[in-house]
Amino acid sequence: MTTGVLRDLRAVLDDGGLRGSFLVRDLDTGDELGIDPELEFPVASLVKVPLAVATLERVERGELDPAAPVVLAPGRSTIPGPTGASKFRHPATVALEDVLYLSTSVSDSVAADALFTLTPPAAVTAELRRLGYDGIAVRHLMQDLVETPAERFAPTDVHLAHSLAITAATEGRGHPVPQLDISRANSGSARAFVDLLHGLWRPTTITPAVAARVRELMRDNVLRHRLAPDFMSDATRWSSKTGTLLNLRHEVGVVEHADGQAYAVAALTESRVPAVVQPGAEALMAQVARTLRDRLRMC
């Protein structure tokens, strides 16, 4: 029965022009169901979750002061999409803990890079390894994500950058666009992010206070157009983080039910359709993730 469901979901994804790495896990039993959960992707803004973990672990050790002032330079972004200080016109001084909120809950990449100046990408990766998480690699700043071919085209021609993203990939997941090359980009798989979510909702190595704060930041996520419509209700709570870059659309999160059950969900996808706006892809991602959760919950 489950084999048939997975086969059908793969077909639905293919028909919709998507390829993905999906995994849903019961956080109490460890039971899980997925589609290519080991497949690695560039993770875009999903990296802001491990960045938050590393920053808060350093706060807990007394290496960083959560009240310390951080100057955010104006991003002056003129393209649609970026949030927070990326759209600021003037410098702003914000406390470190509030910068963390902007980075994680608002997905503000200028705020994230301010955090990276304190804990560089290599140090974030090292912190993950110290905590026992090996599947996520952090290699570069968020600024690198706004230096892709998409920024070189007029708005009416951005689909050309998506065409390049789709057609230029190699069999080994390499790519001439470095942000899409898993050996050079911030990268991870659905399994790697579900492992991290499991550690945040059922802490073992992550400091409990750190895990609690990251859960709160993900609960306050303001971007709720992707998986949230299929997981939010009066009887559930959805805490998540999205990631978007060219033809990549991701979301990872945890759905907590009123009856106490909780499931970690990761959906990392790439589209074969050269278009910026793809509400059908967003809905399809959610449909597949929800079906996996429903099937797992019935077992």
Side-chain angles (χ1 to χ4, degrees):
M1 182 74 74
T2 297
T3 301
V5 170
L6 295 179
R7 183 179 60 248
D8 291 346
L9 290 177
R10 288 178 187 274
V12 167
L13 286 168
D14 188 59
D15 288 346
L18 289 181
R19 181 188 189 190
S21 175
F22 290 78
L23 187 64
V24 179
R25 180 185 297 166
D26 186 319
L27 292 181
D28 293 312
T29 68
D31 294 340
E32 58 184 36
L33 196 58
I35 298 172
D36 295 330
E38 318 288 351
L39 188 63
E40 281 191 274
F41 282 88
V43 297
S45 285
L46 296 187
V47 78
K48 293 166 185 172
V49 177
L51 174 60
V53 172
T55 300
L56 287 166
E57 286 286 342
R58 294 191 64 201
V59 169
E60 282 294 305
R61 293 197 296 268
E63 298 171 9
L64 295 173
D65 179 0
V70 176
V71 177
L72 300 180
R76 299 185 185 278
S77 176
T78 59
I79 60 173
T83 56
S86 300
K87 295 291 189 179
F88 282 12
R89 295 176 179 270
H90 308 282
T93 301
V94 184
L96 172 63
E97 190 169 17
D98 295 328
V99 173
L100 193 61
Y101 163 75
L102 292 173
S103 171
T104 313
S105 302
V106 184
S107 202
D108 180 342
S109 291
V110 169
D113 279 348
L115 297 176
F116 272 131
T117 64
L118 300 171
T119 309
V124 174
T125 297
E127 190 67 23
L128 290 175
R129 303 296 180 265
R130 182 186 72 82
L131 294 168
Y133 299 99
D134 298 327
I136 299 170
V138 185
R139 299 185 174 101
H140 61 74
L141 304 179
M142 300 308 300
Q143 175 62 29
D144 296 334
L145 299 184
V146 297
E147 295 176 352
T148 72
E151 285 69 48
R152 301 171 192 171
F153 289 100
T156 55
D157 294 325
V158 173
H159 67 280
L160 297 174
H162 286 251
S163 295
L164 172 63
I166 294 162
T167 60
T170 69
E171 287 296 324
R173 311 288 289 163
H175 205 287
V177 178
Q179 298 91 332
L180 297 177
D181 184 329
I182 62 165
S183 68
R184 293 183 285 174
N186 298 328
S187 64
S189 64
R191 181 171 301 283
F193 275 93
V194 163
D195 287 343
L196 182 58
L197 294 172
H198 203 154
L200 288 167
W201 263 257
R202 303 291 186 266
T204 53
T205 60
I206 298 175
T207 305
V210 169
R213 180 58 179 145
V214 176
R215 292 196 303 269
E216 182 179 18
L217 290 167
M218 294 180 68
R219 190 161 60 243
D220 289 340
N221 178 24
V222 301
L223 300 175
R224 294 183 171 266
H225 63 291
R226 195 159 284 166
L227 301 190
D230 276 69
F231 286 104
M232 288 179 61
S233 76
D234 288 347
T236 62
R237 178 166 63 189
W238 175 244
S239 308
S240 69
K241 182 73 195 74
T242 59
T244 309
L245 176 65
L246 292 173
N247 66 321
L248 303 179
R249 289 169 177 80
H250 309 323
E251 186 161 0
V252 302
V254 170
V255 57
E256 299 170 272
H257 297 276
D259 63 7
Q261 288 187 304
Y263 297 86
V265 180
L268 281 61
T269 73
E270 60 186 2
S271 174
R272 299 193 307 272
V273 179
V276 178
V277 179
Q278 295 187 47
E282 316 276 1
L284 183 54
M285 288 175 62
Q287 175 191 335
V288 171
R290 172 68 181 267
T291 301
L292 291 171
R293 194 290 310 271
D294 290 351
R295 174 62 57 175
L296 190 59
R297 202 175 189 205
M298 289 168 55
C299 295

PDB file of all heavy atoms in Angstrom, residues 7 23-24 37 71 73 77 79 88 98-99 101 113 115 118 127 129 165 177 179 196 214 221 232 236 253 281-282 292:
ATOM      1  N   ARG A   7       4.830   5.705  -5.166  1.00  0.00           N
ATOM      2  CA  ARG A   7       4.914   5.697  -6.633  1.00  0.00           C
ATOM      3  C   ARG A   7       3.994   6.756  -7.228  1.00  0.00           C
ATOM      4  O   ARG A   7       4.374   7.499  -8.140  1.00  0.00           O
ATOM      5  CB  ARG A   7       4.550   4.313  -7.165  1.00  0.00           C
ATOM      6  CG  ARG A   7       4.672   4.200  -8.694  1.00  0.00           C
ATOM      7  CD  ARG A   7       4.326   2.805  -9.196  1.00  0.00           C
ATOM      8  NE  ARG A   7       2.956   2.437  -8.841  1.00  0.00           N
ATOM      9  CZ  ARG A   7       2.641   1.479  -7.965  1.00  0.00           C
ATOM     10  NH1 ARG A   7       3.607   0.800  -7.348  1.00  0.00           N
ATOM     11  NH2 ARG A   7       1.369   1.210  -7.704  1.00  0.00           N
ATOM     12  N   LEU A  23      10.647  14.231   3.453  1.00  0.00           N
ATOM     13  CA  LEU A  23      10.663  13.298   4.572  1.00  0.00           C
ATOM     14  C   LEU A  23       9.732  13.817   5.658  1.00  0.00           C
ATOM     15  O   LEU A  23       9.735  15.007   5.974  1.00  0.00           O
ATOM     16  CB  LEU A  23      12.081  13.135   5.149  1.00  0.00           C
ATOM     17  CG  LEU A  23      12.233  12.045   6.216  1.00  0.00           C
ATOM     18  CD1 LEU A  23      11.953  10.663   5.645  1.00  0.00           C
ATOM     19  CD2 LEU A  23      13.620  12.093   6.852  1.00  0.00           C
ATOM     20  N   VAL A  24       8.924  12.904   6.197  1.00  0.00           N
ATOM     21  CA  VAL A  24       8.060  13.200   7.343  1.00  0.00           C
ATOM     22  C   VAL A  24       8.385  12.180   8.425  1.00  0.00           C
ATOM     23  O   VAL A  24       8.466  10.982   8.141  1.00  0.00           O
ATOM     24  CB  VAL A  24       6.567  13.117   6.961  1.00  0.00           C
ATOM     25  CG1 VAL A  24       5.697  13.403   8.183  1.00  0.00           C
ATOM     26  CG2 VAL A  24       6.246  14.088   5.840  1.00  0.00           C
ATOM     27  N   PRO A  37      14.837  10.983   0.421  1.00  0.00           N
ATOM     28  CA  PRO A  37      15.185  11.873   1.535  1.00  0.00           C
ATOM     29  C   PRO A  37      16.672  12.182   1.651  1.00  0.00           C
ATOM     30  O   PRO A  37      17.044  13.131   2.335  1.00  0.00           O
ATOM     31  CB  PRO A  37      14.694  11.104   2.765  1.00  0.00           C
ATOM     32  CG  PRO A  37      14.691   9.672   2.345  1.00  0.00           C
ATOM     33  CD  PRO A  37      14.314   9.681   0.896  1.00  0.00           C
ATOM     34  N   VAL A  71      24.824  46.842  13.976  1.00  0.00           N
ATOM     35  CA  VAL A  71      24.437  47.808  12.946  1.00  0.00           C
ATOM     36  C   VAL A  71      24.111  47.053  11.658  1.00  0.00           C
ATOM     37  O   VAL A  71      24.937  46.302  11.135  1.00  0.00           O
ATOM     38  CB  VAL A  71      25.559  48.831  12.690  1.00  0.00           C
ATOM     39  CG1 VAL A  71      25.156  49.780  11.557  1.00  0.00           C
ATOM     40  CG2 VAL A  71      25.863  49.614  13.960  1.00  0.00           C
ATOM     41  N   ALA A  73      23.394  47.414   7.822  1.00  0.00           N
ATOM     42  CA  ALA A  73      23.513  48.330   6.690  1.00  0.00           C
ATOM     43  C   ALA A  73      22.266  48.204   5.820  1.00  0.00           C
ATOM     44  O   ALA A  73      21.674  47.130   5.720  1.00  0.00           O
ATOM     45  CB  ALA A  73      24.762  48.001   5.880  1.00  0.00           C
ATOM     46  N   SER A  77      17.581  46.800  -1.626  1.00  0.00           N
ATOM     47  CA  SER A  77      17.135  45.881  -2.667  1.00  0.00           C
ATOM     48  C   SER A  77      15.938  46.464  -3.416  1.00  0.00           C
ATOM     49  O   SER A  77      15.015  46.982  -2.809  1.00  0.00           O
ATOM     50  CB  SER A  77      16.744  44.532  -2.059  1.00  0.00           C
ATOM     51  OG  SER A  77      16.240  43.676  -3.042  1.00  0.00           O
ATOM     52  N   ILE A  79      14.506  44.501  -6.038  1.00  0.00           N
ATOM     53  CA  ILE A  79      13.802  43.387  -6.673  1.00  0.00           C
ATOM     54  C   ILE A  79      12.741  42.853  -5.718  1.00  0.00           C
ATOM     55  O   ILE A  79      12.871  42.968  -4.494  1.00  0.00           O
ATOM     56  CB  ILE A  79      14.781  42.256  -7.062  1.00  0.00           C
ATOM     57  CG1 ILE A  79      15.495  41.708  -5.817  1.00  0.00           C
ATOM     58  CG2 ILE A  79      15.795  42.756  -8.072  1.00  0.00           C
ATOM     59  CD1 ILE A  79      16.344  40.489  -6.108  1.00  0.00           C
ATOM     60  N   PHE A  88      15.709  48.236   3.650  1.00  0.00           N
ATOM     61  CA  PHE A  88      15.967  49.477   4.404  1.00  0.00           C
ATOM     62  C   PHE A  88      16.689  50.482   3.520  1.00  0.00           C
ATOM     63  O   PHE A  88      17.492  50.124   2.650  1.00  0.00           O
ATOM     64  CB  PHE A  88      16.824  49.189   5.637  1.00  0.00           C
ATOM     65  CG  PHE A  88      16.078  48.585   6.792  1.00  0.00           C
ATOM     66  CD1 PHE A  88      14.794  48.089   6.657  1.00  0.00           C
ATOM     67  CD2 PHE A  88      16.680  48.500   8.045  1.00  0.00           C
ATOM     68  CE1 PHE A  88      14.117  47.530   7.717  1.00  0.00           C
ATOM     69  CE2 PHE A  88      16.004  47.955   9.120  1.00  0.00           C
ATOM     70  CZ  PHE A  88      14.722  47.464   8.961  1.00  0.00           C
ATOM     71  N   ASP A  98      17.330  40.539  18.626  1.00  0.00           N
ATOM     72  CA  ASP A  98      16.307  40.979  17.677  1.00  0.00           C
ATOM     73  C   ASP A  98      16.763  40.791  16.231  1.00  0.00           C
ATOM     74  O   ASP A  98      15.935  40.562  15.341  1.00  0.00           O
ATOM     75  CB  ASP A  98      15.939  42.434  17.949  1.00  0.00           C
ATOM     76  CG  ASP A  98      15.268  42.613  19.304  1.00  0.00           C
ATOM     77  OD1 ASP A  98      14.562  41.679  19.739  1.00  0.00           O
ATOM     78  OD2 ASP A  98      15.462  43.668  19.930  1.00  0.00           O
ATOM     79  N   VAL A  99      18.063  40.868  15.997  1.00  0.00           N
ATOM     80  CA  VAL A  99      18.603  40.542  14.676  1.00  0.00           C
ATOM     81  C   VAL A  99      18.309  39.070  14.364  1.00  0.00           C
ATOM     82  O   VAL A  99      17.968  38.702  13.233  1.00  0.00           O
ATOM     83  CB  VAL A  99      20.121  40.815  14.613  1.00  0.00           C
ATOM     84  CG1 VAL A  99      20.710  40.320  13.286  1.00  0.00           C
ATOM     85  CG2 VAL A  99      20.401  42.298  14.784  1.00  0.00           C
ATOM     86  N   TYR A 101      15.760  37.377  15.410  1.00  0.00           N
ATOM     87  CA  TYR A 101      14.346  37.308  15.016  1.00  0.00           C
ATOM     88  C   TYR A 101      14.179  37.714  13.552  1.00  0.00           C
ATOM     89  O   TYR A 101      13.473  37.047  12.782  1.00  0.00           O
ATOM     90  CB  TYR A 101      13.495  38.213  15.912  1.00  0.00           C
ATOM     91  CG  TYR A 101      12.130  38.496  15.322  1.00  0.00           C
ATOM     92  CD1 TYR A 101      11.133  37.520  15.331  1.00  0.00           C
ATOM     93  CD2 TYR A 101      11.864  39.718  14.710  1.00  0.00           C
ATOM     94  CE1 TYR A 101       9.898  37.774  14.751  1.00  0.00           C
ATOM     95  CE2 TYR A 101      10.631  39.969  14.129  1.00  0.00           C
ATOM     96  CZ  TYR A 101       9.651  38.995  14.153  1.00  0.00           C
ATOM     97  OH  TYR A 101       8.439  39.238  13.564  1.00  0.00           O
ATOM     98  N   ASP A 113      23.372  37.912   7.474  1.00  0.00           N
ATOM     99  CA  ASP A 113      24.796  38.151   7.223  1.00  0.00           C
ATOM    100  C   ASP A 113      25.455  38.912   8.371  1.00  0.00           C
ATOM    101  O   ASP A 113      26.654  38.745   8.621  1.00  0.00           O
ATOM    102  CB  ASP A 113      24.979  38.888   5.898  1.00  0.00           C
ATOM    103  CG  ASP A 113      24.922  37.937   4.707  1.00  0.00           C
ATOM    104  OD1 ASP A 113      24.976  36.707   4.920  1.00  0.00           O
ATOM    105  OD2 ASP A 113      24.825  38.423   3.561  1.00  0.00           O
ATOM    106  N   LEU A 115      24.738  38.279  11.432  1.00  0.00           N
ATOM    107  CA  LEU A 115      25.030  37.174  12.352  1.00  0.00           C
ATOM    108  C   LEU A 115      26.232  36.365  11.866  1.00  0.00           C
ATOM    109  O   LEU A 115      27.040  35.894  12.678  1.00  0.00           O
ATOM    110  CB  LEU A 115      23.814  36.267  12.498  1.00  0.00           C
ATOM    111  CG  LEU A 115      22.565  36.901  13.119  1.00  0.00           C
ATOM    112  CD1 LEU A 115      21.412  35.910  13.105  1.00  0.00           C
ATOM    113  CD2 LEU A 115      22.840  37.380  14.548  1.00  0.00           C
ATOM    114  N   LEU A 118      29.590  37.474  13.003  1.00  0.00           N
ATOM    115  CA  LEU A 118      29.945  37.048  14.357  1.00  0.00           C
ATOM    116  C   LEU A 118      30.276  35.556  14.420  1.00  0.00           C
ATOM    117  O   LEU A 118      31.157  35.137  15.170  1.00  0.00           O
ATOM    118  CB  LEU A 118      28.788  37.357  15.317  1.00  0.00           C
ATOM    119  CG  LEU A 118      28.391  38.825  15.416  1.00  0.00           C
ATOM    120  CD1 LEU A 118      27.101  38.974  16.206  1.00  0.00           C
ATOM    121  CD2 LEU A 118      29.516  39.626  16.071  1.00  0.00           C
ATOM    122  N   GLU A 127      29.833  24.075  14.603  1.00  0.00           N
ATOM    123  CA  GLU A 127      28.886  23.971  15.719  1.00  0.00           C
ATOM    124  C   GLU A 127      27.895  22.833  15.475  1.00  0.00           C
ATOM    125  O   GLU A 127      27.569  22.073  16.399  1.00  0.00           O
ATOM    126  CB  GLU A 127      28.155  25.294  15.907  1.00  0.00           C
ATOM    127  CG  GLU A 127      27.324  25.395  17.174  1.00  0.00           C
ATOM    128  CD  GLU A 127      28.176  25.409  18.437  1.00  0.00           C
ATOM    129  OE1 GLU A 127      29.370  25.766  18.390  1.00  0.00           O
ATOM    130  OE2 GLU A 127      27.633  25.032  19.500  1.00  0.00           O
ATOM    131  N   ARG A 129      28.490  20.148  13.733  1.00  0.00           N
ATOM    132  CA  ARG A 129      29.226  18.892  13.935  1.00  0.00           C
ATOM    133  C   ARG A 129      29.419  18.610  15.424  1.00  0.00           C
ATOM    134  O   ARG A 129      29.325  17.462  15.861  1.00  0.00           O
ATOM    135  CB  ARG A 129      30.584  18.940  13.217  1.00  0.00           C
ATOM    136  CG  ARG A 129      30.506  19.220  11.724  1.00  0.00           C
ATOM    137  CD  ARG A 129      29.786  18.114  10.953  1.00  0.00           C
ATOM    138  NE  ARG A 129      29.739  18.454   9.528  1.00  0.00           N
ATOM    139  CZ  ARG A 129      28.723  19.061   8.937  1.00  0.00           C
ATOM    140  NH1 ARG A 129      27.640  19.401   9.635  1.00  0.00           N
ATOM    141  NH2 ARG A 129      28.755  19.318   7.638  1.00  0.00           N
ATOM    142  N   ALA A 165      19.251  27.823 -14.842  1.00  0.00           N
ATOM    143  CA  ALA A 165      19.302  27.014 -13.628  1.00  0.00           C
ATOM    144  C   ALA A 165      18.841  25.588 -13.894  1.00  0.00           C
ATOM    145  O   ALA A 165      19.406  24.622 -13.364  1.00  0.00           O
ATOM    146  CB  ALA A 165      18.433  27.652 -12.546  1.00  0.00           C
ATOM    147  N   VAL A 177      26.400  27.776 -12.015  1.00  0.00           N
ATOM    148  CA  VAL A 177      25.990  28.803 -11.039  1.00  0.00           C
ATOM    149  C   VAL A 177      26.378  28.276  -9.657  1.00  0.00           C
ATOM    150  O   VAL A 177      25.790  27.298  -9.184  1.00  0.00           O
ATOM    151  CB  VAL A 177      24.477  29.079 -11.111  1.00  0.00           C
ATOM    152  CG1 VAL A 177      24.070  30.103 -10.053  1.00  0.00           C
ATOM    153  CG2 VAL A 177      24.079  29.562 -12.504  1.00  0.00           C
ATOM    154  N   GLN A 179      25.878  28.977  -6.627  1.00  0.00           N
ATOM    155  CA  GLN A 179      24.856  28.875  -5.589  1.00  0.00           C
ATOM    156  C   GLN A 179      23.971  27.648  -5.773  1.00  0.00           C
ATOM    157  O   GLN A 179      23.207  27.279  -4.872  1.00  0.00           O
ATOM    158  CB  GLN A 179      23.976  30.129  -5.574  1.00  0.00           C
ATOM    159  CG  GLN A 179      24.729  31.412  -5.263  1.00  0.00           C
ATOM    160  CD  GLN A 179      25.234  32.102  -6.530  1.00  0.00           C
ATOM    161  OE1 GLN A 179      25.493  31.458  -7.553  1.00  0.00           O
ATOM    162  NE2 GLN A 179      25.364  33.410  -6.473  1.00  0.00           N
ATOM    163  N   LEU A 196      17.716  17.695  12.266  1.00  0.00           N
ATOM    164  CA  LEU A 196      17.905  18.914  13.043  1.00  0.00           C
ATOM    165  C   LEU A 196      16.606  19.324  13.731  1.00  0.00           C
ATOM    166  O   LEU A 196      16.602  19.708  14.913  1.00  0.00           O
ATOM    167  CB  LEU A 196      18.411  20.040  12.141  1.00  0.00           C
ATOM    168  CG  LEU A 196      18.713  21.382  12.832  1.00  0.00           C
ATOM    169  CD1 LEU A 196      19.754  21.214  13.943  1.00  0.00           C
ATOM    170  CD2 LEU A 196      19.172  22.418  11.817  1.00  0.00           C
ATOM    171  N   VAL A 214      14.643  28.602  19.303  1.00  0.00           N
ATOM    172  CA  VAL A 214      14.551  28.380  17.857  1.00  0.00           C
ATOM    173  C   VAL A 214      13.142  27.915  17.495  1.00  0.00           C
ATOM    174  O   VAL A 214      12.586  28.345  16.474  1.00  0.00           O
ATOM    175  CB  VAL A 214      15.610  27.372  17.382  1.00  0.00           C
ATOM    176  CG1 VAL A 214      15.431  27.071  15.891  1.00  0.00           C
ATOM    177  CG2 VAL A 214      17.017  27.915  17.626  1.00  0.00           C
ATOM    178  N   ASN A 221       7.379  32.392  12.099  1.00  0.00           N
ATOM    179  CA  ASN A 221       7.689  32.563  10.680  1.00  0.00           C
ATOM    180  C   ASN A 221       6.561  33.305   9.966  1.00  0.00           C
ATOM    181  O   ASN A 221       5.396  32.912  10.040  1.00  0.00           O
ATOM    182  CB  ASN A 221       7.904  31.189  10.034  1.00  0.00           C
ATOM    183  CG  ASN A 221       8.188  31.279   8.549  1.00  0.00           C
ATOM    184  OD1 ASN A 221       8.649  32.298   8.049  1.00  0.00           O
ATOM    185  ND2 ASN A 221       7.905  30.203   7.836  1.00  0.00           N
ATOM    186  N   MET A 232      -1.797  24.054   8.802  1.00  0.00           N
ATOM    187  CA  MET A 232      -2.348  24.916   9.845  1.00  0.00           C
ATOM    188  C   MET A 232      -3.840  24.666  10.030  1.00  0.00           C
ATOM    189  O   MET A 232      -4.571  24.462   9.066  1.00  0.00           O
ATOM    190  CB  MET A 232      -2.132  26.389   9.489  1.00  0.00           C
ATOM    191  CG  MET A 232      -0.707  26.859   9.615  1.00  0.00           C
ATOM    192  SD  MET A 232      -0.545  28.604   9.143  1.00  0.00           S
ATOM    193  CE  MET A 232      -1.610  29.375  10.361  1.00  0.00           C
ATOM    194  N   THR A 236      -3.960  22.452  15.135  1.00  0.00           N
ATOM    195  CA  THR A 236      -2.546  22.194  14.881  1.00  0.00           C
ATOM    196  C   THR A 236      -1.742  23.489  14.978  1.00  0.00           C
ATOM    197  O   THR A 236      -2.284  24.587  14.830  1.00  0.00           O
ATOM    198  CB  THR A 236      -2.309  21.597  13.479  1.00  0.00           C
ATOM    199  OG1 THR A 236      -2.737  22.541  12.489  1.00  0.00           O
ATOM    200  CG2 THR A 236      -3.038  20.279  13.308  1.00  0.00           C
ATOM    201  N   GLY A 253       9.637  22.133   8.602  1.00  0.00           N
ATOM    202  CA  GLY A 253       8.901  22.571   9.785  1.00  0.00           C
ATOM    203  C   GLY A 253       8.382  21.410  10.595  1.00  0.00           C
ATOM    204  O   GLY A 253       8.616  20.233  10.272  1.00  0.00           O
ATOM    205  N   ALA A 281       3.254  24.916  -8.120  1.00  0.00           N
ATOM    206  CA  ALA A 281       4.351  24.167  -7.512  1.00  0.00           C
ATOM    207  C   ALA A 281       4.276  24.233  -5.990  1.00  0.00           C
ATOM    208  O   ALA A 281       4.522  23.237  -5.298  1.00  0.00           O
ATOM    209  CB  ALA A 281       5.694  24.715  -8.002  1.00  0.00           C
ATOM    210  N   GLU A 282       3.935  25.420  -5.474  1.00  0.00           N
ATOM    211  CA  GLU A 282       3.797  25.571  -4.022  1.00  0.00           C
ATOM    212  C   GLU A 282       2.700  24.628  -3.498  1.00  0.00           C
ATOM    213  O   GLU A 282       2.874  23.933  -2.491  1.00  0.00           O
ATOM    214  CB  GLU A 282       3.430  27.017  -3.666  1.00  0.00           C
ATOM    215  CG  GLU A 282       4.200  28.105  -4.389  1.00  0.00           C
ATOM    216  CD  GLU A 282       5.528  28.438  -3.750  1.00  0.00           C
ATOM    217  OE1 GLU A 282       5.881  27.803  -2.737  1.00  0.00           O
ATOM    218  OE2 GLU A 282       6.214  29.335  -4.269  1.00  0.00           O
ATOM    219  N   LEU A 292       2.079  12.445   2.718  1.00  0.00           N
ATOM    220  CA  LEU A 292       3.033  11.641   3.477  1.00  0.00           C
ATOM    221  C   LEU A 292       2.708  11.671   4.967  1.00  0.00           C
ATOM    222  O   LEU A 292       2.741  10.630   5.635  1.00  0.00           O
ATOM    223  CB  LEU A 292       4.454  12.158   3.225  1.00  0.00           C
ATOM    224  CG  LEU A 292       5.038  11.932   1.833  1.00  0.00           C
ATOM    225  CD1 LEU A 292       6.348  12.689   1.681  1.00  0.00           C
ATOM    226  CD2 LEU A 292       5.235  10.453   1.552  1.00  0.00           C
TER     227      LEU A 292
END
